[in-house]
PDB file of all heavy atoms in Angstrom:
ATOM      1  N   ALA A  79     102.905  69.695 157.872  1.00  0.00           N
ATOM      2  CA  ALA A  79     104.289  69.522 158.132  1.00  0.00           C
ATOM      3  C   ALA A  79     105.235  70.757 157.807  1.00  0.00           C
ATOM      4  O   ALA A  79     106.407  70.700 157.962  1.00  0.00           O
ATOM      5  CB  ALA A  79     104.873  68.341 157.127  1.00  0.00           C
ATOM      6  N   GLY A  80     104.579  71.907 157.413  1.00  0.00           N
ATOM      7  CA  GLY A  80     105.316  73.014 157.188  1.00  0.00           C
ATOM      8  C   GLY A  80     105.927  73.147 155.898  1.00  0.00           C
ATOM      9  O   GLY A  80     106.794  74.081 155.665  1.00  0.00           O
ATOM     10  N   GLN A  81     105.514  72.402 154.901  1.00  0.00           N
ATOM     11  CA  GLN A  81     106.202  72.359 153.537  1.00  0.00           C
ATOM     12  C   GLN A  81     105.522  73.276 152.645  1.00  0.00           C
ATOM     13  O   GLN A  81     106.059  73.685 151.546  1.00  0.00           O
ATOM     14  CB  GLN A  81     106.199  70.899 152.935  1.00  0.00           C
ATOM     15  CG  GLN A  81     106.916  69.955 153.715  1.00  0.00           C
ATOM     16  CD  GLN A  81     106.686  68.480 153.291  1.00  0.00           C
ATOM     17  OE1 GLN A  81     105.715  68.280 152.547  1.00  0.00           O
ATOM     18  NE2 GLN A  81     107.665  67.637 153.592  1.00  0.00           N
ATOM     19  N   ILE A  82     104.324  73.843 153.012  1.00  0.00           N
ATOM     20  CA  ILE A  82     103.636  74.704 152.203  1.00  0.00           C
ATOM     21  C   ILE A  82     103.173  75.875 153.022  1.00  0.00           C
ATOM     22  O   ILE A  82     102.502  75.712 154.003  1.00  0.00           O
ATOM     23  CB  ILE A  82     102.299  74.099 151.564  1.00  0.00           C
ATOM     24  CG1 ILE A  82     102.743  72.907 150.651  1.00  0.00           C
ATOM     25  CG2 ILE A  82     101.501  75.078 150.747  1.00  0.00           C
ATOM     26  CD1 ILE A  82     101.536  72.082 150.140  1.00  0.00           C
ATOM     27  N   PRO A  83     103.526  77.135 152.652  1.00  0.00           N
ATOM     28  CA  PRO A  83     103.180  78.355 153.525  1.00  0.00           C
ATOM     29  C   PRO A  83     101.648  78.530 153.415  1.00  0.00           C
ATOM     30  O   PRO A  83     101.151  78.342 152.225  1.00  0.00           O
ATOM     31  CB  PRO A  83     104.045  79.392 153.032  1.00  0.00           C
ATOM     32  CG  PRO A  83     104.471  78.939 151.632  1.00  0.00           C
ATOM     33  CD  PRO A  83     104.450  77.435 151.609  1.00  0.00           C
ATOM     34  N   GLN A  84     101.114  78.992 154.454  1.00  0.00           N
ATOM     35  CA  GLN A  84      99.586  79.191 154.440  1.00  0.00           C
ATOM     36  C   GLN A  84      99.293  80.666 153.871  1.00  0.00           C
ATOM     37  O   GLN A  84      98.281  80.771 153.153  1.00  0.00           O
ATOM     38  CB  GLN A  84      98.951  78.953 155.714  1.00  0.00           C
ATOM     39  CG  GLN A  84      99.048  77.560 156.243  1.00  0.00           C
ATOM     40  CD  GLN A  84      98.348  77.407 157.526  1.00  0.00           C
ATOM     41  OE1 GLN A  84      97.608  78.167 157.980  1.00  0.00           O
ATOM     42  NE2 GLN A  84      98.566  76.153 158.055  1.00  0.00           N
ATOM     43  N   THR A  85     100.184  81.588 154.104  1.00  0.00           N
ATOM     44  CA  THR A  85      99.958  82.847 153.802  1.00  0.00           C
ATOM     45  C   THR A  85     101.308  83.531 153.413  1.00  0.00           C
ATOM     46  O   THR A  85     102.381  82.813 153.592  1.00  0.00           O
ATOM     47  CB  THR A  85      99.467  83.774 154.895  1.00  0.00           C
ATOM     48  OG1 THR A  85     100.318  83.936 155.946  1.00  0.00           O
ATOM     49  CG2 THR A  85      98.165  83.213 155.493  1.00  0.00           C
ATOM     50  N   GLU A  86     101.343  84.752 152.814  1.00  0.00           N
ATOM     51  CA  GLU A  86     102.620  85.280 152.503  1.00  0.00           C
ATOM     52  C   GLU A  86     103.461  85.669 153.782  1.00  0.00           C
ATOM     53  O   GLU A  86     104.670  85.780 153.590  1.00  0.00           O
ATOM     54  CB  GLU A  86     102.207  86.687 151.724  1.00  0.00           C
ATOM     55  CG  GLU A  86     101.740  86.375 150.305  1.00  0.00           C
ATOM     56  CD  GLU A  86     101.406  87.736 149.607  1.00  0.00           C
ATOM     57  OE1 GLU A  86     101.858  88.764 150.136  1.00  0.00           O
ATOM     58  OE2 GLU A  86     100.827  87.609 148.622  1.00  0.00           O
ATOM     59  N   ALA A  87     102.753  85.761 154.831  1.00  0.00           N
ATOM     60  CA  ALA A  87     103.454  86.047 156.053  1.00  0.00           C
ATOM     61  C   ALA A  87     104.439  84.936 156.539  1.00  0.00           C
ATOM     62  O   ALA A  87     105.396  85.071 157.165  1.00  0.00           O
ATOM     63  CB  ALA A  87     102.504  86.400 157.150  1.00  0.00           C
ATOM     64  N   ASP A  88     104.122  83.729 155.930  1.00  0.00           N
ATOM     65  CA  ASP A  88     104.885  82.554 156.314  1.00  0.00           C
ATOM     66  C   ASP A  88     106.113  82.463 155.375  1.00  0.00           C
ATOM     67  O   ASP A  88     106.872  81.608 155.655  1.00  0.00           O
ATOM     68  CB  ASP A  88     104.029  81.322 156.092  1.00  0.00           C
ATOM     69  CG  ASP A  88     102.776  81.142 157.071  1.00  0.00           C
ATOM     70  OD1 ASP A  88     102.940  81.810 158.072  1.00  0.00           O
ATOM     71  OD2 ASP A  88     101.813  80.504 156.665  1.00  0.00           O
ATOM     72  N   PHE A  89     106.250  83.263 154.450  1.00  0.00           N
ATOM     73  CA  PHE A  89     107.289  83.189 153.428  1.00  0.00           C
ATOM     74  C   PHE A  89     108.484  83.908 154.077  1.00  0.00           C
ATOM     75  O   PHE A  89     108.410  85.040 154.414  1.00  0.00           O
ATOM     76  CB  PHE A  89     106.858  83.897 152.107  1.00  0.00           C
ATOM     77  CG  PHE A  89     107.891  83.793 151.067  1.00  0.00           C
ATOM     78  CD1 PHE A  89     108.275  82.692 150.474  1.00  0.00           C
ATOM     79  CD2 PHE A  89     108.529  84.980 150.625  1.00  0.00           C
ATOM     80  CE1 PHE A  89     109.151  82.562 149.432  1.00  0.00           C
ATOM     81  CE2 PHE A  89     109.587  84.819 149.705  1.00  0.00           C
ATOM     82  CZ  PHE A  89     109.818  83.671 149.122  1.00  0.00           C
ATOM     83  N   ASP A  90     109.566  83.061 154.077  1.00  0.00           N
ATOM     84  CA  ASP A  90     110.903  83.694 154.746  1.00  0.00           C
ATOM     85  C   ASP A  90     111.562  84.551 153.703  1.00  0.00           C
ATOM     86  O   ASP A  90     112.265  83.917 152.777  1.00  0.00           O
ATOM     87  CB  ASP A  90     111.640  82.642 155.295  1.00  0.00           C
ATOM     88  CG  ASP A  90     112.929  83.134 155.996  1.00  0.00           C
ATOM     89  OD1 ASP A  90     112.997  84.389 156.162  1.00  0.00           O
ATOM     90  OD2 ASP A  90     113.740  82.262 156.525  1.00  0.00           O
ATOM     91  N   VAL A  91     111.559  85.863 153.788  1.00  0.00           N
ATOM     92  CA  VAL A  91     112.235  86.702 152.781  1.00  0.00           C
ATOM     93  C   VAL A  91     113.684  86.524 152.781  1.00  0.00           C
ATOM     94  O   VAL A  91     114.382  86.531 151.712  1.00  0.00           O
ATOM     95  CB  VAL A  91     111.835  88.129 153.043  1.00  0.00           C
ATOM     96  CG1 VAL A  91     112.570  89.101 152.138  1.00  0.00           C
ATOM     97  CG2 VAL A  91     110.379  88.403 153.222  1.00  0.00           C
ATOM     98  N   ALA A  92     114.285  86.109 153.905  1.00  0.00           N
ATOM     99  CA  ALA A  92     115.661  85.911 154.000  1.00  0.00           C
ATOM    100  C   ALA A  92     116.158  84.698 153.235  1.00  0.00           C
ATOM    101  O   ALA A  92     117.411  84.603 152.762  1.00  0.00           O
ATOM    102  CB  ALA A  92     116.170  85.760 155.468  1.00  0.00           C
TER     103      ALA A  92
END
Side-chain angles (χ1 to χ4, degrees):
Q81 297 173 341
I82 300 174
Q84 294 183 13
T85 65
E86 290 181 12
D88 297 334
F89 184 69
D90 187 5
V91 178

